[in-house]
């Protein structure tokens, strides 16, 4: 096991060095992208009530005692006895949406910026590698020329490849996060609609009693 780790470390360092100075920011970009994406996915997993089916949500809205965890807290907050109008229900759900979705959207903007920067950094490495290659062609001093050309081509190819290797799974994870974020928003919208219907039923029943 130790030998495998040492071999991996040696090959990793060799790739970093052969890719030129831009491999350092690419390494930091990769670390930032995957750390932030995994944090987003774990955050959404921790608030997993959005995976509940609509029928169960309806049962929980009309029978809050059956709910538990975060969903129960949301229902208690939006069905508080102090609520007197559907406007107040919508206001409270707006607060909940902001509390859940705003942090996700904010981190997603940062994540998209990092993911977009990866292939651009790789492209910059391509340009720098080609400049090194042209420098080697211009010098034409035997073995030195071959070394410069080989180093330039290596830098150009490795940085481009690394940028794409980082960006492609990054975009896949962004897509997964967006889908789950939209599912969460859809669940909150469903809860709001059902709760508004419930409050309207309360108001209608109260009006009927007062009329009689």
């Amino acid at each position: 096991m130790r030998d495998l780790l040492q071999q991996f470390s040696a090959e990793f360092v060799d790739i970093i060095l052969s890719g030129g100075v831009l491999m350092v920011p690419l390494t930091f970009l990769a670390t930032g992208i995957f750390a932030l994406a995994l944090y987003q996915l774990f955050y959404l997993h921790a608030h997993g009530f959005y995976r509940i089916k609509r029928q169960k949500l309806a049962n929980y809205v009309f029978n809050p005692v059956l709910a538990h965890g975060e969903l129960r807290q949301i229902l208690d907050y939006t069905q508080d006895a102090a609520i007197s109008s559907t406007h107040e229900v919508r206001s409270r759900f707006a607060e909940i949406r902001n509390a859940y979705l705003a942090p996700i959207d904010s981190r997603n903007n940062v994540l998209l910026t990092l993911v977009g920067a990866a292939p651009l950094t790789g492209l910059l490495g391509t340009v720098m590698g080609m400049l090194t290659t042209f420098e080697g062609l211009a010098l034409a001093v035997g073995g030195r020329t071959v070394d410069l050309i080989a180093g330039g081509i290596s830098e150009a190819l490795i940085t481009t490849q690394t940028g794409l290797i980082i960006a492609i799974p990054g975009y896949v994870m962004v897509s997964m996060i967006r889908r789950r974020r939209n599912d969460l928003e859809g669940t909150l919208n469903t809860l709001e609609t059902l709760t508004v219907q419930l409050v309207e039923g309360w108001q209608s029943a109260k009006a009927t009693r007062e009329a009689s």
Side-chain angles (χ1 to χ4, degrees), residues 40-93:
Q40 288 276 72
L41 291 171
F42 279 123
Y43 176 87
L44 286 162
H45 179 75
H47 304 289
F49 62 88
Y50 66 89
R51 294 190 293 269
I52 299 174
K53 301 299 182 182
R54 180 184 173 89
Q55 185 58 48
K56 281 191 174 182
L57 285 177
N59 290 335
Y60 290 146
V61 169
F62 293 103
N63 301 280
V65 293
L66 300 177
H68 54 84
E70 282 183 292
L71 182 57
R72 177 62 184 272
Q73 294 174 2
I74 292 172
L75 294 176
D76 287 343
Y77 181 64
T78 54
Q79 295 184 23
D80 187 73
I83 294 176
S84 59
S85 67
T86 56
H87 174 75
E88 191 169 352
V89 172
R90 297 186 188 280
S91 177
R92 292 199 177 194
F93 268 103

Side-chain angles (χ1 to χ4, degrees), residues 4-208:
L4 288 174
L5 289 174
Q6 290 177 345
Q7 182 180 358
F8 174 79
S9 299
E11 291 179 355
F12 180 76
V13 171
D14 184 58
I15 292 173
I16 295 292
L17 294 177
S18 61
V21 295
L22 286 179
M23 289 299 291
V24 175
L26 280 172
T27 301
F28 282 111
L29 273 175
T31 303
I33 287 168
F34 294 115
L36 185 55
L38 288 174
Y39 180 85
Q40 288 276 72
L41 291 171
F42 279 123
Y43 176 87
L44 286 162
H45 179 75
H47 304 289
F49 62 88
Y50 66 89
R51 294 190 293 269
I52 299 174
K53 301 299 182 182
R54 180 184 173 89
Q55 185 58 48
K56 281 191 174 182
L57 285 177
N59 290 335
Y60 290 146
V61 169
F62 293 103
N63 301 280
V65 293
L66 300 177
H68 54 84
E70 282 183 292
L71 182 57
R72 177 62 184 272
Q73 294 174 2
I74 292 172
L75 294 176
D76 287 343
Y77 181 64
T78 54
Q79 295 184 23
D80 187 73
I83 294 176
S84 59
S85 67
T86 56
H87 174 75
E88 191 169 352
V89 172
R90 297 186 188 280
S91 177
R92 292 199 177 194
F93 268 103
E95 292 177 26
I96 293 170
R97 267 194 297 271
N98 186 64
Y100 278 104
L101 301 180
I104 298 174
D105 292 339
S106 177
R107 289 191 291 264
N108 255 11
N109 289 335
V110 175
L111 183 58
L112 280 170
T113 301
L114 295 177
V115 171
L120 294 177
T121 305
L123 180 60
L124 179 59
T126 302
V127 174
M128 293 176 63
M130 294 308 297
L131 290 175
T132 303
T133 302
F134 293 144
E135 180 184 352
L137 291 172
L139 287 176
V141 286
R144 172 70 173 159
T145 302
V146 175
D147 290 341
L148 285 172
I149 293 174
I153 293 174
S154 175
E155 181 179 343
L157 294 177
I158 288 176
T159 52
T160 303
Q161 183 183 36
T162 303
L164 293 174
I165 288 174
I166 295 170
I168 292 172
Y171 279 118
V172 171
M173 287 189 290
V174 167
S175 178
M176 292 171 59
I177 293 166
R178 278 179 172 170
R179 186 178 69 251
R180 296 180 187 184
R181 180 259 182 217
N182 291 337
D183 288 343
L184 175 57
E185 184 178 23
T187 297
L188 292 174
N189 290 340
T190 299
L191 287 171
E192 179 181 0
T193 300
L194 293 171
T195 305
V196 167
Q197 292 174 0
L198 179 64
V199 173
E200 286 176 344
W202 292 347
Q203 292 174 340
S204 178
K206 181 179 179 181
T208 301

